[in-house]
Amino acid sequence: MIHVQNVSKQYGDLLAVDNISFQLNKGDVLGFLGPNGAGKTTTMRIITGYMPATKGKVYIADVDIFEDPLIAKSHIGYLPENPPLYEDMIVRDYLDFVAEIKQVPDREKNGRINYIMDKCGILDVGKRIIGHLSKGYRQRIGIAQALINDPAVLVLDEPTNGLDPKQIIEIRELIKGLSGDRTVILSTHILPEVTMICSKVVIINKGKIALEESLERLTSKMDGVENILLKTRYWGEEIQQKIISLPNVSDIRLGISNELIIQPKKGTDIREELSDLIMRNGWGLLEMRPVAHNLEEVFLRVISSEGD
Amino acid sequence: MNAVYPILKRELRSYFASPLAYVILVVFQVISALFFSLYLKGFLHLQFDPNFQLLRGELNLNNVVVIPYFDTMSIVLLFIIPLITMRLVADERKSHTAELLFTSPIKLRSIIWGKFLAALILLIIMLLLSSLNLFVLTVHGNPDMGAIFSSYLGLLLLGASFLSLGIFASSLSSSQLVAAIIAFGILLLLWLVGASSDTESSILGYISLINHFENFGKGIIELKDLAYYFSIIYIGLFLAHTALDSERWR
């Protein structure tokens, strides 16, 4: 459905996107991850035909977005990072306008608008002026706008950005319910979101693809190893030295707030020997708990290893 | 070109959803009415001038009221039109709706035409309202209707040229203020350049927006003047198209 082929984008001296390729089939939901400034938005803008790539090609449903933009664009619904809303318009008029420029046939238009407004939960604000609505509603209108032409491809740039926790859950459910057999690209900072919604993950860093994997394979890789988070009152180099010399410890590193993340060898439980060690040395055990070897860690590892 | 109409409709709605359109209509109407009454008063005073009879051929309603009136309106348009066009493209950038327009299955050309025609309709409403002033002349006098109609045609073409260049200016910036200043700069430059020479004798004279307006006031519609204004309209819209298209490449 979406075929991104060796796409690069150069802004002056800056290579924002560097030779990216990936392919999505019908029904795939791609979690598009990466730190700020990694080139996510640029890639999405190229895929949606907002700007041309410096090099490479993008095919939407086998149509080159740059050669045949009108046909390719008719398959796409796009929610940019900032929802493209006309503040002075009434919600319903706005969706009517979007339906018209997206070439929704006149006889289907009203039914389509009603259906989408209902799905996105904005029926009750249909007569309000967009500029007066809260951020949650605006984001919903943004999503409604992207869905109005029933697109086969849905590109969402940080759809839950800046929402409160309740709104985030609602929008997430909405996206989940909408995906169906659509192909979705979803960029986000919130990693659990990806595990909840997506079937595939692409992590990009500094314009390059750092990891491309289906979520199933990613999670199966991470299974079987459970890292341990350790906090002690006493803190020093020797702790790390001593722990790493335990027979079943394969790796140790420093977490974000100076806690230790200890990776045991596969299939072993080191909790007992670890607590023993700490007791014997009187380091003062404050916290010890298993941490899921989750996407967050994969993400951080991929991002930091690329940086070296 | 099937997207021209929705764009046009939205732009017009947007003009009248904010006070902008009303303020512009009122300001234009008040200024033009003020000057009209001034010129008319001047004409009435002339009747009591002892030398009036001698110059009767020259000092008719057309030369003393109608032509100066249209000249004044053309200058007022020079100031007002940048305010009409400034938001047309710049605001799409600011509100991020450019992303919606440029990822929709419509041609850039349709977007620009839709915006131009919406602004043109606002201009036509302005001109129609101002024609109420001239209505007074037809009730109590006998003005040269041909010259009035041709003047309106000239004013419409002049205004449309301003609009087209204004849209180009708006496509260069995401700030409405900057867009208005650029538009005003372009218009003033094209207005004044070669204003001292006529259309035949020099290139600068030919380029000048003001020189082509004179014939219309005399009731003369010449092909070269029509061609000139249509070219300016085309060039302005073409430049706007180029500016927007090339921006995506950078």
Side-chain angles (χ1 to χ4, degrees):
Chain A
M1 204 65 211
I2 302 176
H3 193 174
V4 178
Q5 221 174 52
N6 307 99
V7 164
S8 299
K9 178 75 188 180
Q10 187 120 25
Y11 294 116
D13 284 339
L14 178 81
L15 192 58
V17 174
D18 185 3
N19 202 20
I20 278 186
S21 300
F22 61 84
Q23 201 166 348
L24 294 177
N25 298 323
K26 205 174 165 185
D28 279 352
V29 180
L30 173 74
F32 198 44
L33 307 175
N36 280 327
K40 291 186 305 258
T41 297
T42 305
T43 310
M44 292 179 132
R45 284 179 160 183
I46 292 169
I47 292 173
T48 53
Y50 178 69
M51 50 164 77
T54 314
K55 263 189 247 148
K57 299 226 174 253
V58 174
Y59 296 94
I60 308 289
D62 294 325
V63 182
D64 187 323
I65 185 96
F66 191 57
E67 296 290 323
D68 255 324
L70 297 196
I71 299 171
K73 283 174 184 173
S74 68
H75 297 296
I76 299 176
Y78 175 40
L79 173 66
E81 207 171 342
N82 301 292
L85 307 173
Y86 292 101
E87 305 264 309
D88 57 358
M89 279 182 110
I90 289 164
V91 175
R92 217 195 145 86
D93 288 349
Y94 168 73
L95 291 174
D96 194 76
F97 167 70
V98 178
E100 278 176 3
I101 62 168
K102 300 254 181 184
Q103 321 289 342
V104 176
D106 270 346
R107 60 200 144 72
E108 293 169 25
K109 205 173 65 183
N110 275 324
R112 189 74 204 150
I113 293 172
N114 286 333
Y115 173 76
I116 291 297
M117 285 177 77
D118 183 31
K119 269 238 145 169
C120 297
I122 49 174
L123 268 176
D124 52 328
V125 293
K127 291 229 157 64
R128 302 268 305 269
I129 291 170
I130 294 176
H132 298 167
L133 294 174
S134 70
K135 194 147 187 194
Y137 272 122
R138 286 154 168 262
Q139 202 70 21
R140 283 151 185 270
I141 299 165
I143 293 175
Q145 159 277 128
L147 285 164
I148 205 97
N149 55 337
D150 197 11
V153 171
L154 193 55
V155 180
L156 306 170
D157 197 348
E158 296 182 13
T160 55
N161 197 13
L163 300 181
D164 69 37
K166 185 167 165 279
Q167 292 167 331
I168 288 180
I169 292 168
E170 284 168 2
I171 296 281
R172 221 177 261 162
E173 289 302 316
L174 178 63
I175 295 168
K176 226 172 172 175
L178 289 169
S179 44
D181 55 359
R182 270 182 247 278
T183 309
V184 182
I185 300 182
L186 173 95
S187 92
T188 180
H189 290 301
I190 305 162
L191 298 163
E193 205 160 275
V194 175
T195 10
M196 273 179 252
I197 308 176
C198 301
S199 61
K200 201 173 174 183
V201 177
V202 165
I203 300 180
I204 75 168
N205 190 26
K206 294 182 183 144
K208 287 196 180 104
I209 291 194
L211 178 117
E212 184 190 358
E213 198 91 73
S214 79
L215 203 70
E216 267 172 44
R217 285 189 48 197
L218 204 61
T219 38
S220 72
K221 252 191 200 170
M222 298 182 304
D223 275 354
V225 181
E226 204 163 53
N227 286 356
I228 291 185
L229 178 143
L230 183 71
K231 257 190 202 161
T232 50
R233 192 186 313 281
Y234 176 74
W235 195 87
E237 271 296 302
E238 56 185 292
I239 299 187
Q240 288 197 44
Q241 298 292 341
K242 285 210 170 137
I243 292 175
I244 195 91
S245 59
L246 284 175
N248 283 331
V249 172
S250 73
D251 192 23
I252 184 163
R253 63 192 163 79
L254 224 50
I256 299 155
S257 47
N258 270 349
E259 70 275 23
L260 291 168
I261 310 274
I262 301 155
Q263 187 185 340
K265 292 205 171 110
K266 207 164 179 170
T268 57
D269 190 346
I270 56 163
R271 279 176 294 182
E272 213 177 325
E273 33 188 323
L274 198 59
S275 57
D276 232 27
L277 180 73
I278 295 163
M279 292 305 165
R280 251 187 290 130
N281 289 291
W283 289 333
L285 179 61
L286 294 178
E287 191 180 355
M288 177 164 85
R289 60 181 164 91
V291 282
H293 189 139
N294 57 17
L295 195 57
E296 202 157 333
E297 283 200 43
V298 176
F299 180 77
L300 288 174
R301 204 172 54 215
V302 165
I303 297 304
S304 54
S305 67
E306 278 296 304
D308 299 335
Chain B
M1 299 297 270
N2 44 4
V4 174
Y5 179 62
I7 302 268
L8 184 164
K9 204 169 59 178
R10 202 206 70 72
E11 288 297 345
L12 265 186
R13 201 179 265 169
S14 171
Y15 273 128
F16 287 98
S18 72
L20 183 76
Y22 301 103
V23 170
I24 284 176
L25 285 173
V26 168
V27 166
F28 184 71
Q29 184 63 4
V30 167
I31 293 177
S32 59
L34 204 70
F35 275 95
F36 179 75
S37 61
L38 221 60
Y39 293 135
L40 197 60
K41 216 154 134 198
F43 181 68
L44 296 178
H45 281 298
L46 270 180
Q47 317 260 343
F48 302 106
D49 196 299
N51 297 323
F52 179 68
Q53 292 303 327
L54 295 173
L55 294 163
R56 194 146 193 165
E58 279 299 301
L59 295 178
N60 55 30
L61 204 54
N62 211 40
N63 284 350
V64 179
V65 179
V66 177
I67 290 182
Y69 175 60
F70 276 99
D71 282 347
T72 307
M73 281 206 289
S74 69
I75 291 170
V76 177
L77 283 185
L78 180 82
F79 286 93
I80 283 185
I81 282 188
L83 303 178
I84 295 179
T85 54
M86 63 182 184
R87 49 169 284 279
L88 283 174
V89 184
D91 208 37
E92 301 276 3
R93 286 210 186 86
K94 196 133 225 171
S95 63
H96 304 285
T97 43
E99 276 167 287
L100 169 64
L101 294 183
F102 296 154
T103 58
S104 292
I106 51 175
K107 291 211 166 88
L108 182 53
R109 211 170 49 204
S110 318
I111 300 172
I112 293 171
W113 270 106
K115 288 176 180 293
F116 173 72
L117 292 176
L120 192 64
I121 289 174
L122 184 60
L123 174 67
I124 290 172
I125 298 174
M126 281 165 68
L127 297 186
L128 283 178
L129 279 179
S130 75
S131 73
L132 292 175
N133 297 328
L134 294 173
F135 185 68
V136 175
L137 291 184
T138 63
V139 172
H140 298 288
N142 193 18
D144 178 354
M145 287 312 282
I148 287 178
F149 280 119
S150 74
S151 294
Y152 261 115
L153 178 67
L155 201 59
L156 184 65
L157 287 171
L158 184 76
S161 308
F162 289 177
L163 289 175
S164 152
L165 294 167
I167 289 176
F168 166 56
S170 181
S171 68
L172 295 176
S173 171
S174 59
S175 149
Q176 296 195 21
L177 184 65
V178 172
I181 293 170
I182 296 173
F184 185 62
I186 295 174
L187 296 186
L188 205 58
L189 191 73
L190 278 179
W191 184 271
L192 295 176
V193 71
S196 53
S197 46
D198 61 48
T199 55
E200 267 97 33
S201 64
S202 77
I203 290 184
L204 287 182
Y206 185 81
I207 291 173
S208 169
L209 280 161
I210 195 174
N211 287 349
H212 291 271
F213 188 56
E214 280 167 13
N215 277 340
F216 288 100
K218 296 175 199 145
I220 306 164
I221 301 173
E222 270 208 83
L223 192 62
K224 70 169 171 112
D225 298 323
L226 293 179
Y228 170 81
Y229 285 123
F230 281 117
S231 311
I232 292 284
I233 293 168
Y234 178 79
I235 290 170
L237 297 181
F238 173 77
L239 287 176
H241 190 285
T242 311
L244 284 172
D245 205 28
S246 71
E247 176 188 86
R248 300 156 63 221
W249 285 95
R250 268 177 269 134

